[in-house]
Amino acid sequence: MAKGRSLKSTKIIVLLLCLVAFSTVFAPLPSPLSNSLKPHNHHHHHQQVVNARKFEIADDMFWKDGEPFRIIGGDLHYFRTLPEYWEDRLTRAKALGLNAIQTYVPWNLHEPKEGQLDFNAIADIVSFLELCQKLDLLVMLRAGPYICAEWDLGGFPAWLLTKNPAIRLRSSDPAYLTLVDKWWGILLPKIAPLLYHKGGPIIMVQIENEFGSYGVDKDYLHHLVNLARSHLGDDLILYTTDGGTRDTLTKGTINGESVFSAVDFSTGEDPWPIFNLQKEFNTPGKSPPLSAEFYTGWLTHWGENIAKTDATSTASALEKILSRNGSAVLYMAHGGTNFGFYNGANGAQESDYLADLTSYDYDAPISESGDVDGAKFKALRRVIAKYSAVSLPPVPKNNEKTGYGRIQLEKSSSLFDILDTNVHIKAIESENPISMEAAGQMFGFLLYTSEYIANGKGSTLSIPKVHDRAQVYVTCLSKNKKERPQYVATINRWSNKPVNLPKTGCASTSKLLILVENMGRLNYGQLLFDSKGILSPVYLDGKPLLKWKMLPIPLSNLNQPKKINPVFDKPYSTFIRASTRKTLKSSLGVDLKEPGFYTGDFVVDKVTDTYMSFNGWGKGVAFVNDFNIGRFWPSFGPQCNLYVPAPVLRHGKNVLVILELESPERELVVNSVNQSDFTCGSKHTRVHRL
């Protein structure tokens, strides 16, 4: 604990007035303090109206209820942690020494379909904010509408991509602004009662996100400010966050006292020249030094080594800010998990596509599963304790994790069989392939089929633009028997090359099947308008192939109702049992690599967190008790295991279902283990930095 301040007379006056007003007394910023943090004469109004909660900026400081205040915050996203664990993770953040939580608001989570709003369960933002208040944690709300966040399409709902004519995202395009007005007209009134001066925890609301790294459109930014003010009033701090360079701050900030300009920068940089630059983009006296994204780690894409940063150097960098009365928000304090299909991706050009892992651990001080015994948590906590206004709470124990052992699976059905037999899945017909969004399939997979006459010599297939990964199959159409589809090749967005279709020897027409996976939309950069599926004509021997059918594959996403998967539905259980006994052969006599569902159950005596190890499996998606725990791809790495929080499990029998796209593990076994593992895949890759 730092020593108390020597502002005796001022503190006595404030204390007496607070007692008279029966208002809550918050701990002031501790010493050692520079003289610049002592209350100034023009703040006498704080001593006159102390019963009014107020968070403001003056004298290049934050002020909370008339006292100087330092923000020591951290990002913790409610949509990356199950609601049952919100309080657990917030308690750990508080034990780290944080006094504020920063979180994004992903529009696509709350309006997955246009006009279909969701503020329940993991989307119950109001309950999350109320929990923050219960734990005396202030909130910095990053309301978007664009958030980046390594989240699908930067938080924009994919149905925005279906608008015709196409709208210009992150711009003053009137069609786009109309939709933003409608969305914020729903969101902001929900959070307005939770503003700090109204008794809630929200001290600041962010406008857009790092817009200076994207473009120049001041009309757009001013529109968002006016819209926010119309719903939230003038007594709230609005802020922008931009990279700490003159160029990004020039493009992304909003002149005048209406909006505070915060900065972010690499953890190893000297913060104080950047904070001095920050002052140039704020009104004099309105620029408290704030690193709104102090990076505790970094993101990881599939195919890279897991990102790790040194605990000691990270803590030292934080102390450089706090030791001179600066404020910082740890990004991330707790990363969490990209459950479902909501992970984002990065890419500066078409062939530079990199999808994010299911895990969003971020090498944060609080791990994906909530562990707080790592070197980084301890190092950061030691630094924060030196500058905290209050004694830090005790550190909770790690949550228990159990390895429930070997889970034997069996192939329950081929994906193609389910699509052939399910009368509820309606094909969409079109002369040319259409995008996933146009087909109403916003996430996951879409199957494209067409027919062609084989020439007996084999053909060359090319798809100039496919997002993101297409598995190609052919089969003979025969009235007498059912041919199994033959795997031909995989066409990737990042290494797109023509493929040779084999000589099928079909006596009749051949059928082409192309299973396309949406691996996550770009969340950052100039290619943000990232539609999925086949986005160009498909060429066979140089000529466009026409007459297509598109079959949506209804796999549940993070916040979609359970029991919508055909493989889970009871009416299909008989079919699944029967299909398990089938011998899947291809008359063409090659490795099938046929996508299929694999199911197994396991018994839980004591419900705790666990991990599913997919070592030996290819690529796919996993569901535990109908909950989409995310994508696995151990053959590419680095993530081997998927985190399964205890709230997903139940006492007794639990069910694991896998959609394996490539080749299953030889013995069809998944192991439930008690720890994470990021050692899979290639070892020659390197960490990718944006």
Side-chain angles (χ1 to χ4, degrees), residues 171-182:
S171 80
S172 52
D173 175 7
Y176 166 67
L177 291 181
T178 296
L179 294 167
V180 171
D181 290 353
K182 187 175 180 181

Side-chain angles (χ1 to χ4, degrees), residues 190-398:
K190 284 184 176 293
I191 63 112
L194 294 164
L195 301 181
Y196 185 77
H197 63 275
K198 295 183 178 180
I202 301 173
I203 54 172
M204 300 166 66
V205 170
Q206 182 174 291
I207 299 296
E208 245 273 349
N209 187 69
E210 295 181 324
F211 189 75
S213 299
Y214 180 76
V216 182
D217 191 337
K218 297 294 185 177
D219 289 342
Y220 169 47
L221 297 179
H222 281 291
H223 180 91
L224 293 180
V225 171
N226 293 333
L227 182 60
R229 291 290 181 211
S230 70
H231 290 289
L232 304 177
D234 297 327
D235 295 328
L236 170 74
I237 298 173
L238 300 180
Y239 71 112
T240 57
T241 299
D242 285 287
T245 69
R246 185 171 298 278
D247 179 63
T248 53
L249 286 166
T250 298
K251 294 176 181 177
T253 57
I254 303 167
N255 295 333
E257 294 192 19
S258 180
V259 182
F260 165 60
S261 302
V263 291
D264 57 32
F265 44 86
S266 298
T267 303
E269 292 185 69
D270 184 351
W272 290 98
I274 299 173
F275 289 145
N276 289 333
L277 176 64
Q278 176 194 6
K279 284 187 176 184
E280 297 182 30
F281 294 87
N282 283 304
T283 301
K286 297 285 189 177
S287 193
L290 170 65
S291 173
E293 289 189 7
F294 175 88
Y295 300 109
T296 61
W298 201 250
L299 62 106
T300 305
H301 303 112
W302 290 108
E304 296 176 348
N305 291 329
I306 191 68
K308 291 286 183 182
T309 57
D310 179 70
T312 301
S313 60
T314 302
S316 176
L318 180 62
E319 184 152 27
K320 287 181 180 178
I321 296 174
L322 300 185
S323 64
R324 293 176 59 181
N325 303 319
S327 292
V329 181
L330 309 185
Y331 193 100
M332 298 290 295
H334 167 63
T337 311
N338 294 317
F339 294 116
F341 296 115
Y342 275 115
N343 68 275
N346 290 291
Q349 54 189 4
E350 192 72 17
S351 60
D352 188 31
Y353 176 83
L354 295 162
D356 297 323
L357 298 183
T358 297
S359 172
Y360 198 65
D361 179 84
Y362 214 85
D363 199 28
I366 304 169
S367 77
E368 180 179 15
S369 61
D371 287 355
V372 288
D373 59 348
K376 190 171 290 183
F377 184 95
K378 294 174 182 177
L380 290 172
R381 189 174 190 268
R382 282 194 296 269
V383 169
I384 293 170
K386 292 168 63 175
Y387 303 99
S388 175
V390 295
S391 298
L392 271 53
V395 178
K397 293 181 179 179
N398 291 344

